[in-house]
Amino acid sequence: MVVRFPVLREVLHLLFPMVLTMTLELSISVVDTIMLGHYSALHLAAVGLASSLWLPVGCFLIGVTFGITPLVTRHLHGRQPKLVNLYMSQAVGLSLVLGVLASLVAITVLPYFAGLMATEEETRQVSISYLYIFAPALPMLALMTAYKNLFEAAGRPGFPLFVASFGLVLNILFNYVLIFGRFGFPEMGAKGAALASALSLYLAVALFFVYDRFLNKTPLFTSLVWRYTRKFSILLNIGAPAGFAFAFEVGLFSSMTWLISSFGDLALGGGQIVMSYTSFLFTPMMAMSAVTAIVVAKAMSKEGVDGVRKRIRVIVWLGLTYVSTCFVITQVFHEQIPFIYSNNAEVVALAASILLISSCYQFPDMLQTVFTGALRGFRDTRSTMIAFAVSLFGLSMPFGFWLSHYSPWAETLSLRGFYIGLGAGLTLLAVILIVRFRVVLARYEGRRIASPREVA
């Protein structure tokens, strides 16, 4: 069937390795959660709290590098590969500058909020220690994502898949040794998980650099243009709104963790289980978003609007098939899934009840993710940023807070109200982005991006 449908073949050729790559990358977080859940409920809560603080900052760094995807795709297909060096040089400068600033924020500002939100002294101290250890790796998080986006935009997702696989194996080994204190190493708990994640990021960047510079037969990033490491306006112009949009979405989940903290540290543990599980399921949708950005940019260079429509239809149907499967699995096994992460009965029961709700909002979440990628393929990232801010912070948070604290069902819903609010916000977001995409598509009707200069 794939051979008979060339658009489906094109999408799946990119999608499968990218899904595997992102799943393996996110599996690092899942491994942390599982190992810490069986190590200590308080350490699990501490990592959930620390992650909720640094993730919005980290996701902004990741989102900024999203601008690489449409630019590199169009220039490579427009036979101007040398311009890739300019954009990657910008990505290097931007990753290092913003990464250092993010590290300083994680060391100086975030520990203050961790101290305010934790209710147990042990949770507070472990959260702060986690932030101190992981913070220096934030520049590498941005740089690794830039390299990954470069290879995927060039249609070479195989090496990012290898890096993700190797990184996962190392992270499992590092976690086992450092969390539980094996082979003569000290027992570090959550601090060991932070150190393991930081080491994995540094090694991933080193692998990308060595491979592309010395082993790749057709290297993509051939030379660093020093003056462009300081002139990153083009990449920042596209990437900053995408970064804010990504940070807004993750920030909403993080803010829910902060609000949940008022219900106690065991509630934090339950929330961390739900976040880890739903993030794992969300990974293929992130891959769909990245693939959508690539194929939309490529289709606009070669076929125009009709080619874009064909690819969007294929990706949406693939997305619906995937989230329907996830919905059924979560609904059937919602009581068993939390036991993978923890053996604390109270934490498991709370997480199980939330999973029933979270499985329902995967449908609008898939739609907003796909159309975010489609708009990014058109370099339309500002409208996405505004839509995220309005939907998630204008509806999700206030509505969820009202449900949990002031509605007639507040006592019954408790913290589950926040997740219902999240579903409402994601539904509104999906509607806004679909409407915006139709407007952008109508603007390009009858046109093609004939020259890469049109996107420079």
Side-chain angles (χ1 to χ4, degrees), residues 416-433:
R416 300 170 190 83
F418 291 117
Y419 290 89
I420 296 174
L422 175 60
L426 288 171
T427 302
L428 176 61
L429 175 60
V431 171
I432 293 173
L433 293 179

Side-chain angles (χ1 to χ4, degrees), residues 15-31:
L15 186 60
F16 277 144
M18 288 174 72
V19 166
L20 287 173
T21 300
M22 291 187 177
T23 301
L24 288 169
E25 288 174 348
L26 195 66
S27 296
I28 292 175
S29 173
V30 175
V31 167

Side-chain angles (χ1 to χ4, degrees), residues 63 78 139 154 173 193 220 284 317 340 344 356 379 400 415:
L173 177 62
L220 296 170
W317 276 111
I340 299 173
N344 184 292
L356 288 173
R379 291 186 61 199
L415 59 87

Side-chain angles (χ1 to χ4, degrees), residues 81-97:
K82 289 186 177 180
L83 290 177
V84 172
N85 287 331
L86 305 186
Y87 294 126
M88 276 303 292
S89 297
Q90 291 185 35
V92 170
L94 198 59
S95 297
L96 294 178
V97 171

Side-chain angles (χ1 to χ4, degrees), residues 263-305:
F263 291 92
D265 284 358
L266 291 180
L268 268 177
Q272 176 63 12
I273 289 173
V274 173
M275 179 177 284
S276 179
Y277 175 73
T278 55
S279 297
F280 188 79
L281 296 186
F282 183 68
T283 304
M285 292 189 271
M286 283 192 66
M288 287 178 192
S289 180
V291 168
T292 305
I294 293 170
V295 298
V296 164
K298 183 179 175 182
M300 282 305 299
S301 296
K302 293 188 173 182
E303 300 176 39
V305 167

Side-chain angles (χ1 to χ4, degrees), residues 10 44 77 80 98 119 122 153 187 226 249 251 259 266 290 306 318 322 360 364 378 383 417 419 424 431 440:
E10 176 191 0
L44 175 63
H77 289 285
Q80 291 184 313
L98 293 181
T119 57
E122 183 181 358
E187 182 180 325
W226 284 101
E249 181 175 13
L259 294 169
L266 291 180
D306 287 340
L318 287 172
Y322 171 72
C360 299
F378 282 102
S383 59
Y419 290 89
V431 171
V440 171

Side-chain angles (χ1 to χ4, degrees), residues 47-205:
V47 171
L49 180 57
S51 298
S52 73
L53 291 168
W54 76 258
L55 267 175
V57 178
C59 287
F60 174 75
L61 297 178
I62 292 172
V64 166
T65 65
F66 283 168
I68 286 286
T69 302
L71 293 170
V72 168
T73 301
R74 287 175 179 173
H75 283 300
L76 285 176
H77 289 285
R79 301 291 186 262
Q80 291 184 313
K82 289 186 177 180
L83 290 177
V84 172
N85 287 331
L86 305 186
Y87 294 126
M88 276 303 292
S89 297
Q90 291 185 35
V92 170
L94 198 59
S95 297
L96 294 178
V97 171
L98 293 181
V100 170
L101 291 175
S103 297
L104 292 174
V105 169
I107 292 172
T108 58
V109 179
L110 299 186
Y112 171 76
F113 290 102
L116 289 178
M117 288 183 282
T119 57
E120 299 284 343
E121 181 60 28
E122 183 181 358
T123 305
R124 182 182 299 109
Q125 293 300 325
V126 173
S127 296
I128 293 172
S129 298
Y130 186 98
L131 290 169
Y132 284 156
I133 295 171
F134 184 76
L138 285 173
M140 296 302 104
L141 177 65
L143 202 52
M144 182 199 70
T145 309
Y147 262 116
K148 184 170 73 71
N149 289 340
L150 171 65
F151 275 80
E152 290 172 348
R156 303 185 200 174
F159 190 70
L161 176 59
F162 167 77
V163 172
S165 304
F166 187 64
L168 176 61
V169 172
L170 287 179
N171 189 259
I172 292 173
L173 177 62
F174 292 159
N175 267 325
Y176 178 72
V177 169
L178 297 173
I179 290 176
F180 297 101
R182 300 291 190 255
F183 306 114
F185 283 85
E187 182 180 325
M188 299 176 67
K191 292 185 284 187
L195 183 58
S197 297
L199 288 173
S200 298
L201 286 172
Y202 273 94
L203 287 171
V205 173

